[in-house]
Amino acid sequence: VQITVDEKLDVGHRGSFYDSTGALRDMVPNHLFQLLSLVAMEPPVSSNADAIRDEKYKALCALRPIERARVFLDSARGQYDDGSIAGKPVPAYRDEPDVRPDSNTETYAAVKFWIDNWRWANVQFYVRSGKRLVRKKSEIALRFRSLPHRLFGEAGDLLDNNTLVMKIQPEEGISLRFNAKVPGPKMHIRSVSMDFNYGTGFGVVSAPAYERLIGDAMRGDATLFMRWDAVERAWIQLMPLLDKCLDSAEDGFT
């Protein structure tokens, strides 16, 4: 399972805040863990907010604690440098306003997690997020296991893993990639895609994320909000990584 939240934007006018926070604190325990828990949760007993948040909390509790010795094996950090976007030069992170010129604050973070329960045993969960990347993209991709025994396809045909992608931004939709037989007498197999887009499918434009949350708050619907115990659990899971990566004795990026 791969959960990605990429941004084209830089830190903008938030340099002083971001330099004391970084991508790990800014994105992983809230945005990325919210998506992870929605994917990994078991079916709730009802559709009310408490039942859904109960299952999200259970999923976070099943996350395997990050061992300090494996922090640099199961995570990566980076910081954007100067370059160009659409032919226009853009500055490095250290040259942004209110950012220390020797800053080691990460603007990109990726972490591998494991969920120790019956459904997700031995399934790797990758979460990643960063600033100043190629394109703005938020999505959840589930890559299915390889076939245990190959029955179809000619020799030389590549059978890709089936993949289900739930697209969140910039356009909401679902994409399913799977193997299909090529028309003709031979048993050739090729990977194909089926794509659904909410905007074109229903002829409506979805409300921006924060507009939806503000509306839910005004209606008293807490379904999409992290409960205090889930927030605490998220930070408990992340602290070993923060203690190791952001320790003042550590220099540079892994």
Side-chain angles (χ1 to χ4, degrees), residues 5 44 115 160 177:
V5 179
I115 296 181
D160 294 333
R177 190 163 184 83

Side-chain angles (χ1 to χ4, degrees), residues 135-202:
R135 59 186 178 276
K136 178 180 177 66
K137 179 181 71 174
S138 296
E139 68 177 31
I140 303 167
L142 290 86
R143 186 171 182 264
F144 294 89
R145 298 182 187 275
S146 300
L147 293 171
H149 178 63
R150 177 170 174 164
L151 295 176
F152 306 106
E154 300 287 337
D157 286 349
L158 295 177
L159 299 185
D160 294 333
N161 294 68
N162 295 343
T163 304
L164 176 66
V165 181
M166 291 169 278
K167 302 174 183 178
I168 303 169
Q169 287 183 335
E171 295 182 343
E172 293 182 329
I174 299 173
S175 176
L176 177 63
R177 190 163 184 83
F178 58 95
N179 295 289
K181 180 184 177 300
V182 178
K186 292 187 177 181
M187 186 57 70
H188 281 306
I189 304 295
R190 196 186 76 188
S191 184
V192 297
S193 293
M194 292 176 57
D195 296 305
F196 167 73
N197 181 281
Y198 274 93
T200 56
F202 294 107

